[in-house]
Amino acid sequence: MSEGYHFEDEVQERPYDGRLMRRLLGYLSPYRYRLVGATLLLLAATLFSNVTPLLNMRAIDWYINSADRTALEKSGMGAAAQLNALVERDTQGLMGLLLLIAGLMTAEAAMRYMQGLIVTFVGQRAMLEMRLALFGHLQRMSLRFLDKNPIGRLMTRVTNDVENIQERLVSDFIEVVSQIFTLVIVLGFIFWLNWRLALITLIPVPGVVISSLLFKKYARSSYLNIRKKIAAVNAYMQENVSGMRVVQIFNREDDNFSEYERRNRVHRDEWLRQIRNFAIYFPVVEFWSSLAIALIILYGGLQILGGHEVSAGVASIGMLFAYVQWADRLFGPIRTLADKYNLIQDAMASSERVFALLDTPEEVKDKPEAVAATDVQGEVEFRSVWFAYEHEQWVLKDINITIAPGERVAIVGHTGAGKSTLANLLSRFYDVPRGAVLVDGVDVRDYEQRSLRGNIGMVLQDVFLFSGTVMRNLRLGNEDLSEARIRECAEYVNAARFIERLPGGYEYDVGERGGNLSTGQRQLLAFARTLAHDPRILVLDEATSSVDTEAEMLIQDAIGKLMQGRTCIMIAHRLSTVQRADRILVMHHGEIRESGTHQELLAKRGLYYTLYLLQYKDQNGGA
Amino acid sequence: MNPKVAPGRPFITLLRYNRPYWSDYAIGMAIALVFSLIGLATPIVISWVVDLFQGGQMTRNLLFVYFGALVGVSAVTGIARYFQRMLMIGASRKFEYDIRNDYFRHVQRLSQDFFHRVKTGDIMARATNDLNYVRMFIGPGIMGTVDLVGVPYTIGVMVWFSPKLSLYAMAPLPLISILVYFFVMYVHRQSKVVQEQFSAVNSRVQEDLAGARVVKAYGIEERELSAFREESTQYMRANMRLAVVQALAFPLIGLVVGLTILFILWQGGQMVIAKELSLGRFTGFVVSISMLMWPLASFGWVLTLYQRGAVGMNRILEIMTAEPSIVDGERTRHDVAAVRGAIRFDGVSFSYGGERVLEDISFEAKAGETLAIVGATGSGKSSIVSLLTREYDPTGGGVLVDGIDTREYPLAQLRAAMGYVPQDTFLFSETIRVNLSLGRPDATEAQLDAASEVAQFAETVRQLPDGYDTLLGERGVNLSGGQKQRLAIARAVLRDPAILILDDALSSVDTHTEESILQRLKEVASSRTTVLISHRVSTVCHADAIVVLREGRIVERGTHEELLALGGVYGDLHQRQLLEEQLEETA
């Protein structure tokens, strides 16, 4: 699977969960005043927008269709002057009222805009915090955890899941709140003005609620099915693309295509079902809302006809007009609520995944009373150390080594003998289940991890470089290092020569994982980087890959310089490196089997002798 | 290439793909035309009702008639909307299904050089994100466009109610269009910035996780965190810059619409007061203008759907127009006999990415022989396999099977004759049965058993509670490296191929098991040609002929004994292997 691209093939259902919600709200609590402000703005804006029908009603009943004027007009009596005065009065009044509405509308738009900005800002900030928390947590996770979890999946947590929470929970949640406000305010208005007409308006509500519940039920199951089906479609394609060689050589194209077609078809059919759910639901709600409007007109009309005249305040044309507008706003929210429910549940699943990751305990952790490793002399001891990556499959069995400050020890052994594990344990990338690793007589678990590692310089086989400049990779964020000092180190370990030949020199971009540099160049950079950080203990896991002779000479020379005055543990693949060691330890199947100098071990004609013949003999004419 | 695909012309391609559904779109469009007309009944009825009240001519019976009319219109429109949605959105999903199938089919046909060039993630991104944009263009995009067909009618009714008010109502339309255009452009531009910054955040996380060891070793967690904070903050800022404009769109357009209606109320109200317009017509006008504004405003959104859809379609076309470099063609002969298994490389050279990988390679293996190829990593062993299975064609010389150039075989026939066990076992996340019978879906239980027995995989199957029906992969059982390799061998054996290729396929199996597997392989099919690729002498020592590669050239050839006597590269390798074995035995 390509890194950084990950399909969630697990689809979970996540009902509303109060505990999860409270935890999410925790991320919003620093912004509670702003959120209260936004809620107030939202409340006011909703109020303003729903007061407009009332004002429209007044505009019609008081002015456009004012009772005294229309009565005067109808009767055909009264002086023209009197009528003109009334017309003048109504026009003025209408304009005043409309100006008021215009003011309210402008205010509403401004408030909605501000509210929107606040909510987006808070959402973005909260998600930034969540992202940082996740990133920080991932950095504290042990290598054991990182070995086990694919990078793509972890990235999905930090990026997509957080994004999902922000979009769905923050934005949609506000939308839901806004709709609830609308519902309450509209209900308040219609009952306050005319409770009978209000009851009439609400007649279709049970219908809407029942349709919405049914819709929610069907749409929800379809929605979950769709997510599962599309995951199956995409996962299958991904697998086929990655394994296309096997597919083609085994002539599997047709069979795999029909499997893909089947998954694709199931997904399509599930969608067609879902489209039906929507295609039924939307018109049905629209129908209920039209029914409400028709009922308002019918009932109001009957009231007017029944002699409850306009002046009786029971119903008026303006009022009918207003109720029609309100009815529209009453049914919209119910529809939105049913619609958003699925999306919010989806975000709940995302937040559960995020929190599950945040709750994964750190395996390698500083003790509360951990001490800083200062003035380290460089004495290293492995005391009866046992270690396994997988349960009970021991990679190290009862290892005892003591290395004096400044001593140079080479560890040799066949592939898989456990050499690299020693280096990992010394830096406390993993904790030992039995025994102890000590630096200057103190258990590494009693040091602060970072100060411990600050004393250990590791040059690993496969040099990892960050994308960015040469300088960035040498400095690695240590601002205390002067540029001059870094250049000096590069000079000393023979790296300066090639760096200066690069376009831009120290500002040359090494590319993703240092891809623009050769293996030998990466090695030399790693030496310079280590030297610049001046560790007391040097761990060298020598590269097995071959480089050209000139580079090899430069590297060997650099290794010699790097070792001066430090405790050195070398996982050696080259004879020249072994020969530099004060002592050689031979590891085999997780145990130390032989120990001594090169000559002593050769004379023994044991494991080391065999290894020597196997690995080192060709490297030069023998010792 | 698929006949529906028009290179570089997304719209033509879309048209061709949607041809099967043209009647769905046509009916949907017809429904929209008819029912937006019927929908106009609502404002007209309302205007009549109001005027009848005003004139005092309203009766109970009339009121019920109008009530029935309103409910009836709504019911009929609702049913029409149902069919319209089902047809048009449904067609977009059917289209998605069609193009997805073709995409998959096309990717299957592409050759290995393509997969070296284009990353899996890229191929997937086009099949997911880009395809989704294209579908949005077809479904909601066309629905949004169809909604516009009612606009002229609505305008007609408005003019009929009051030409003067219609003029006022139209006045802000240019303003709305300009606003929408501005928003769309800005959002489009800023979305790109957001997207780019999102990738930057992504790469940060990826790099940090991949380099976790270095981060820890140098204790630079804090600095990395602050660098990540920097990138994330920039991402947040980019989002905010987008939001500042985007959040303005709806309130602002809403305000313009609202103020327009207010202006109409004011002007219309005066007209009613001045008796130039009846209250009913005035009410009808206000109802119809609200029917008009939103389809027009949402058209801006539809435009973005078009734009993104076209970009997405282009990106999909880039893949769908890629030509496979290895296909059956003019040279293909359809009369070749079943493969018996004789292999000959005739002065083969091969370059990849401008680099010479193989140089003047010639060797021969008769049907039924075992040929071994040894050499260090990067010496070109696997390239020989890729040429034999015709995943690549040689740059010079010829690869012959039974004396016929591989380029003359129908590709499927050639590959059907090969049983291939790769270095890295690729298993599908399905059952063991599916994985085993990959090259022979109709295999019987007995055949499965026999093949598993030969590959010494049978014991593993017996130990699993679900046997052959055990699910593999992340959600199933994880096999060990050795078990996977043995499954892959069983899979190749099950195919009963004329040529069996083991590409370093026993590296995770100990030497004793290896030997007995090789022994059994020979026993069950002595007429089979076997190609062994290995760096282990123990694997190849019984081969009829051994070829030693170094930097893309053959440096030694002969039988095990001959090569030992020669005392060259192979002899050295043998020496080392003995030492290693000696080391292994010292437990």
Side-chain angles (χ1 to χ4, degrees):
Chain A
M1 181 189 284
S2 69
E3 275 177 4
Y5 209 81
H6 183 76
F7 284 106
E8 217 57 65
D9 46 5
E10 203 79 28
V11 178
Q12 314 157 301
E13 182 154 16
R14 186 66 241 176
Y16 176 82
D17 179 337
R19 190 188 45 85
L20 212 59
M21 203 63 203
R22 270 195 297 283
R23 204 161 162 191
L24 280 169
L25 287 177
Y27 279 89
L28 297 178
S29 68
Y31 313 103
R32 54 185 172 277
Y33 296 115
R34 269 180 253 212
L35 282 177
V36 168
T39 314
L40 288 178
L41 283 172
L42 184 64
L43 190 61
T46 315
L47 190 68
F48 282 13
S49 75
N50 285 302
V51 85
T52 317
L54 179 69
L55 296 176
N56 286 341
M57 166 184 144
R58 295 296 185 225
I60 292 174
D61 287 347
W62 287 355
Y63 305 118
I64 297 180
N65 198 27
S66 66
D68 45 359
R69 199 191 77 235
T70 42
L72 196 65
E73 281 166 356
K74 244 178 232 167
S75 65
M77 294 181 299
Q82 194 186 350
L83 189 62
N84 277 346
L86 284 179
V87 167
E88 182 63 17
R89 181 206 66 189
D90 287 350
T91 315
Q92 289 298 324
L94 178 64
M95 192 163 120
L97 202 55
L98 291 180
L99 279 178
L100 176 63
I101 299 177
L104 284 180
M105 275 183 171
T106 314
E108 186 211 333
M111 286 190 292
R112 279 201 195 278
Y113 180 51
M114 270 164 62
Q115 180 268 127
L117 283 189
I118 294 174
V119 167
T120 313
F121 175 76
V122 169
Q124 289 284 342
R125 284 280 343 173
M127 290 315 112
L128 176 67
E129 291 310 321
M130 188 180 270
R131 254 193 200 115
L132 290 174
L134 272 171
F135 188 86
H137 187 70
L138 280 176
Q139 284 198 321
R140 285 190 298 274
M141 296 313 285
S142 66
L143 287 183
R144 192 189 287 271
F145 174 86
L146 296 174
D147 292 342
K148 257 185 277 176
N149 290 278
I151 289 180
R153 181 178 305 161
L154 298 177
M155 284 178 57
T156 309
R157 299 288 164 277
V158 183
T159 53
N160 298 6
D161 275 334
V162 173
E163 201 77 5
N164 201 15
I165 295 172
Q166 197 253 323
E167 259 170 48
R168 298 290 174 229
L169 276 184
V170 182
S171 307
D172 288 350
F173 194 73
I174 288 294
E175 173 82 17
V176 167
V177 170
S178 151
Q179 300 294 1
I180 291 174
F181 279 168
T182 306
L183 220 54
V184 171
I185 290 171
V186 170
L187 282 176
F189 273 126
I190 64 176
F191 274 99
W192 172 60
L193 271 180
N194 185 334
W195 64 270
R196 286 194 194 87
L197 198 51
L199 285 180
I200 296 294
T201 311
L202 294 183
I203 285 176
V205 163
V208 179
V209 171
I210 291 170
S211 337
S212 298
L213 288 177
L214 282 175
F215 168 73
K216 200 195 84 183
K217 187 177 146 218
Y218 287 109
R220 174 86 197 137
S221 82
S222 263
Y223 177 74
L224 280 175
N225 276 333
I226 285 170
R227 300 249 328 213
K228 280 182 199 153
K229 305 281 144 78
I230 192 65
V233 168
N234 287 333
Y236 196 73
M237 180 182 276
Q238 160 134 358
E239 208 168 62
N240 268 268
V241 173
S242 334
M244 195 54 85
R245 256 197 108 185
V246 171
V247 172
Q248 290 179 343
I249 292 182
F250 281 85
N251 290 19
R252 282 293 297 190
E253 288 96 334
D254 291 342
D255 291 308
N256 285 15
F257 174 71
S258 52
E259 170 64 17
Y260 182 76
E261 188 278 335
R262 189 189 64 75
R263 293 181 185 215
N264 195 6
R265 178 157 33 85
V266 170
H267 168 252
R268 180 197 66 190
D269 293 344
E270 196 60 54
W271 254 117
L272 293 180
R273 248 191 301 284
Q274 181 74 318
I275 290 170
R276 184 180 301 270
N277 290 333
F278 278 98
I280 293 176
Y281 179 67
F282 284 166
V284 163
V285 172
E286 241 163 84
F287 174 76
W288 291 125
S289 136
S290 301
L291 180 65
I293 290 170
L295 281 171
I296 291 166
I297 292 174
L298 178 67
Y299 177 79
L302 288 177
Q303 272 199 324
I304 297 173
L305 284 182
H308 306 280
E309 243 318 327
V310 179
S311 52
V314 180
S316 66
I317 290 181
M319 187 184 280
L320 297 189
F321 186 77
Y323 271 65
V324 166
Q325 285 182 315
W326 275 322
D328 241 1
R329 295 167 195 221
L330 203 55
F331 292 90
I334 300 178
R335 197 176 84 175
T336 315
L337 291 180
D339 206 17
K340 295 285 178 205
Y341 180 79
N342 287 332
L343 300 176
I344 290 179
Q345 279 216 325
D346 200 28
M348 288 302 243
S350 277
S351 43
E352 172 143 77
R353 287 197 290 265
V354 165
F355 288 139
L357 178 55
L358 279 175
D359 290 343
T360 314
E362 299 162 37
E363 284 170 81
V364 176
K365 211 172 167 178
D366 281 350
K367 286 184 183 173
E369 69 276 14
V371 295
T374 45
D375 275 336
V376 168
Q377 297 304 303
E379 189 205 44
V380 172
E381 187 186 349
F382 284 78
R383 192 181 286 166
S384 309
V385 168
W386 289 71
F387 186 77
Y389 290 100
E390 296 281 337
H391 184 67
E392 296 278 303
Q393 292 177 13
W394 298 110
V395 181
L396 297 182
K397 298 172 207 162
D398 194 27
I399 298 288
N400 285 288
I401 308 171
T402 311
I403 302 167
E407 195 184 2
R408 297 167 176 185
V409 173
I411 300 170
V412 300
H414 205 48
T415 318
K419 294 166 295 179
S420 301
T421 307
L422 287 180
N424 285 336
L425 295 183
L426 177 60
S427 287
R428 208 188 159 207
F429 286 150
Y430 303 85
D431 273 338
V432 291
R434 281 196 235 165
V437 180
L438 301 97
V439 169
D440 280 7
V442 178
D443 194 313
V444 290
R445 283 167 291 197
D446 294 331
Y447 285 119
E448 289 166 3
Q449 288 173 64
R450 281 183 52 197
S451 73
L452 168 74
R453 290 176 192 148
N455 285 292
I456 301 170
M458 283 187 110
V459 182
L460 302 172
Q461 272 193 34
D462 180 20
V463 176
F464 185 94
L465 296 181
F466 293 91
S467 51
T469 63
V470 170
M471 191 46 97
R472 181 190 166 207
N473 274 289
L474 291 179
R475 184 186 291 279
L476 277 183
N478 189 346
E479 298 302 330
D480 299 339
L481 281 171
S482 71
E483 193 157 329
R485 171 71 192 141
I486 290 173
R487 282 170 188 270
E488 205 181 310
C489 292
E491 191 76 48
Y492 191 63
V493 297
N494 310 323
R497 232 187 324 154
F498 90 81
I499 294 173
E500 276 150 19
R501 277 203 303 262
L502 294 170
Y506 286 85
E507 296 309 310
Y508 178 72
D509 186 356
V510 301
E512 199 180 325
R513 296 200 181 192
N516 297 346
L517 299 179
S518 74
T519 317
Q521 291 173 330
R522 285 204 293 265
Q523 281 281 336
L524 291 177
L525 272 195
F527 293 147
R529 170 164 95 180
T530 308
L531 185 67
H533 289 77
D534 192 25
R536 288 307 310 142
I537 303 167
L538 176 72
V539 179
L540 179 67
D541 193 350
E542 209 169 29
T544 40
S545 55
S546 50
V547 292
D548 60 78
T549 335
E550 195 207 4
E552 179 67 31
M553 272 170 56
L554 291 175
I555 288 174
Q556 288 305 325
D557 180 60
I559 289 178
K561 290 173 175 169
L562 200 57
M563 293 200 315
Q564 279 163 26
R566 303 174 212 280
T567 307
C568 295
I569 301 174
M570 301 170 285
I571 297 162
H573 299 288
R574 293 194 178 81
L575 184 62
S576 50
T577 316
V578 182
Q579 285 170 329
R580 279 191 234 265
D582 301 323
R583 185 155 52 114
I584 298 165
L585 301 175
V586 182
M587 284 198 78
H588 195 64
H589 292 320
E591 290 169 80
I592 305 270
R593 299 284 286 269
E594 290 170 15
S595 162
T597 65
H598 181 61
Q599 297 302 342
E600 285 166 14
L601 288 174
L602 277 186
K604 255 192 190 170
R605 302 251 150 183
L607 269 171
Y608 183 77
Y609 181 71
T610 318
L611 270 172
Y612 167 75
L613 291 179
L614 190 60
Q615 295 185 349
Y616 308 126
K617 205 187 80 174
D618 299 346
Q619 291 179 6
N620 59 23
Chain B
M1 201 191 308
N2 193 307
K4 288 176 184 166
V5 170
R9 298 165 77 185
F11 288 103
I12 303 286
T13 312
L14 281 175
L15 277 179
R16 288 186 189 161
Y17 264 99
N18 282 291
R19 190 168 297 157
Y21 310 113
W22 73 269
S23 60
D24 293 358
Y25 295 115
I27 296 172
M29 185 69 90
I31 291 175
L33 277 171
V34 172
F35 286 91
S36 50
L37 211 55
I38 294 180
L40 291 180
T42 309
I44 295 175
V45 168
I46 288 177
S47 79
W48 287 343
V49 170
V50 172
D51 275 348
L52 284 173
F53 272 118
Q54 282 303 95
Q57 298 135 313
M58 180 56 89
T59 64
R60 238 161 214 285
N61 288 345
L62 267 179
L63 202 54
F64 275 106
V65 169
Y66 288 129
F67 170 77
L70 281 179
V71 174
V73 164
S74 161
V76 172
T77 323
I79 292 169
R81 289 294 281 182
Y82 166 80
F83 283 109
Q84 196 194 339
R85 246 193 130 80
M86 286 298 284
L87 285 170
M88 301 183 94
I89 304 274
S92 80
R93 287 291 170 189
K94 290 176 192 160
F95 151 79
E96 179 193 24
Y97 161 83
D98 293 342
I99 198 167
R100 197 176 253 144
N101 279 343
D102 285 356
Y103 185 83
F104 186 86
R105 206 67 177 129
H106 185 77
V107 170
Q108 276 190 332
R109 289 179 57 236
L110 293 170
S111 314
Q112 283 305 313
D113 56 336
F114 174 84
F115 296 101
H116 274 274
R117 213 170 50 237
V118 186
K119 287 187 195 140
T120 305
D122 195 12
I123 298 175
M124 290 305 299
R126 290 167 206 245
T128 50
N129 296 351
D130 288 314
L131 182 57
N132 196 39
Y133 286 142
V134 176
R135 193 201 53 78
M136 292 276 285
F137 169 20
I138 298 296
I142 290 186
M143 280 286 278
T145 315
V146 165
D147 279 346
L148 288 175
V149 303
V151 166
Y153 296 155
T154 316
I155 292 176
V157 172
M158 283 164 62
V159 171
W160 176 67
F161 279 136
S162 163
K164 190 170 154 199
L165 284 185
S166 304
L167 207 64
Y168 293 145
M170 298 302 150
L173 279 183
L175 178 63
I176 292 182
S177 309
I178 291 169
L179 276 179
V180 166
Y181 180 76
F182 165 75
F183 280 128
V184 168
M185 291 313 283
Y186 182 86
V187 167
H188 185 72
R189 223 180 31 236
Q190 188 62 22
S191 297
K192 262 193 190 155
V193 177
V194 167
Q195 210 48 47
E196 274 158 26
Q197 191 55 32
F198 185 74
S199 316
V201 171
N202 241 333
S203 338
R204 266 273 159 205
V205 182
Q206 163 144 15
E207 196 176 57
D208 224 72
L209 290 174
R213 198 178 283 266
V214 177
V215 171
K216 282 181 192 293
Y218 283 87
I220 53 173
E221 288 94 339
E222 300 277 305
R223 290 164 210 148
E224 284 302 301
L225 185 61
S226 71
F228 178 73
R229 182 191 300 272
E230 185 55 40
E231 296 282 9
S232 299
T233 309
Q234 274 194 32
Y235 177 59
M236 186 191 86
R237 293 220 181 92
N239 264 317
M240 281 310 294
R241 269 194 292 276
L242 179 62
V244 165
V245 174
Q246 208 168 26
L248 188 59
F250 275 89
L252 192 60
I253 294 172
L255 183 63
V256 173
V257 172
L259 290 179
T260 308
I261 293 179
L262 270 191
F263 187 70
I264 300 292
L265 279 177
W266 184 41
Q267 288 299 319
Q270 278 181 310
M271 285 163 76
V272 173
I273 293 172
K275 306 218 69 77
E276 285 167 32
L277 186 69
S278 76
L279 185 62
R281 285 178 156 246
F282 169 69
T283 319
F285 189 89
V286 174
V287 173
S288 29
I289 192 177
S290 49
M291 289 169 61
L292 181 67
M293 287 295 180
W294 284 112
L296 284 179
S298 70
F299 189 64
W301 175 68
V302 171
L303 282 181
T304 51
L305 291 184
Y306 281 4
Q307 199 180 9
R308 287 193 309 191
V311 172
M313 192 67 224
N314 258 330
R315 281 172 48 82
I316 290 174
L317 279 182
E318 277 168 24
I319 302 285
M320 291 187 77
T321 52
E323 286 291 346
S325 47
I326 297 193
V327 277
D328 290 343
E330 284 166 23
R331 287 189 68 178
T332 311
R333 288 164 48 182
H334 294 282
D335 56 344
V336 284
V339 174
R340 289 189 320 280
I343 300 167
R344 189 149 68 93
F345 272 57
D346 207 357
V348 168
S349 60
F350 178 56
S351 303
Y352 186 75
E355 215 177 309
R356 265 260 194 272
V357 183
L358 293 175
E359 185 79 61
D360 192 26
I361 301 286
S362 298
F363 60 78
E364 194 170 359
K366 295 195 187 72
E369 279 187 350
T370 299
L371 171 79
I373 302 168
V374 285
T377 322
S379 59
K381 290 174 299 182
S382 291
S383 301
I384 291 188
V385 174
S386 294
L387 293 177
L388 186 57
T389 52
R390 210 183 159 216
E391 287 167 89
Y392 293 94
D393 279 334
T395 346
V399 178
L400 293 87
V401 169
D402 292 348
I404 300 168
D405 195 300
T406 48
R407 282 167 286 200
E408 291 174 20
Y409 276 96
L411 204 51
Q413 188 188 345
L414 179 73
R415 287 183 182 159
M418 312 244 172
Y420 170 62
V421 189
Q423 272 173 20
D424 306 310
T425 311
F426 185 87
L427 298 178
F428 289 91
S429 315
E430 302 205 36
T431 59
I432 291 184
R433 186 188 301 281
V434 169
N435 275 292
L436 267 181
S437 55
L438 208 59
R440 199 164 175 191
D442 57 346
T444 63
E445 201 77 8
Q447 287 169 323
L448 287 178
D449 286 340
S452 304
E453 207 62 57
V454 172
Q456 305 215 350
F457 184 61
E459 190 53 39
T460 309
V461 176
R462 268 195 287 279
Q463 278 165 9
L464 292 167
D466 295 328
Y468 290 123
D469 294 313
T470 307
L471 193 64
L472 299 180
E474 230 179 293
R475 284 148 92 195
V477 172
N478 270 316
L479 299 178
S480 74
Q483 288 170 326
K484 282 184 193 165
Q485 287 194 334
R486 278 177 274 162
L487 192 162
I489 292 170
R491 162 158 102 187
V493 167
L494 188 63
R495 220 179 178 195
D496 195 20
I499 301 169
L500 179 68
I501 306 161
L502 301 179
D503 187 355
D504 208 1
L506 292 154
S507 54
S508 304
V509 176
D510 66 77
T511 39
H512 300 294
T513 316
E514 176 184 21
E515 219 175 295
S516 68
I517 291 177
L518 289 173
Q519 186 66 35
R520 293 277 292 131
L521 279 176
K522 211 62 228 174
E523 281 166 25
V524 290
S526 54
S527 66
R528 178 183 293 148
T529 311
T530 307
V531 179
L532 290 173
I533 309 256
S534 184
H535 56 257
R536 261 197 213 167
V537 171
S538 58
T539 314
V540 303
C541 58
H542 300 298
D544 298 308
I546 300 168
V547 170
V548 184
L549 279 186
R550 190 174 205 170
E551 287 163 14
R553 290 170 177 277
I554 294 180
V555 288
E556 291 170 20
R557 64 173 84 210
T559 63
H560 179 67
E561 287 72 23
E562 288 166 6
L563 290 174
L564 282 191
L566 193 69
V569 178
Y570 186 83
D572 248 23
L573 197 65
H574 179 65
Q575 203 61 45
R576 278 165 180 279
Q577 226 103 81
L578 287 182
L579 286 169
E580 271 193 48
E581 267 169 46
Q582 192 184 329
L583 209 56
E584 272 313 310
E585 323 260 272
T586 358

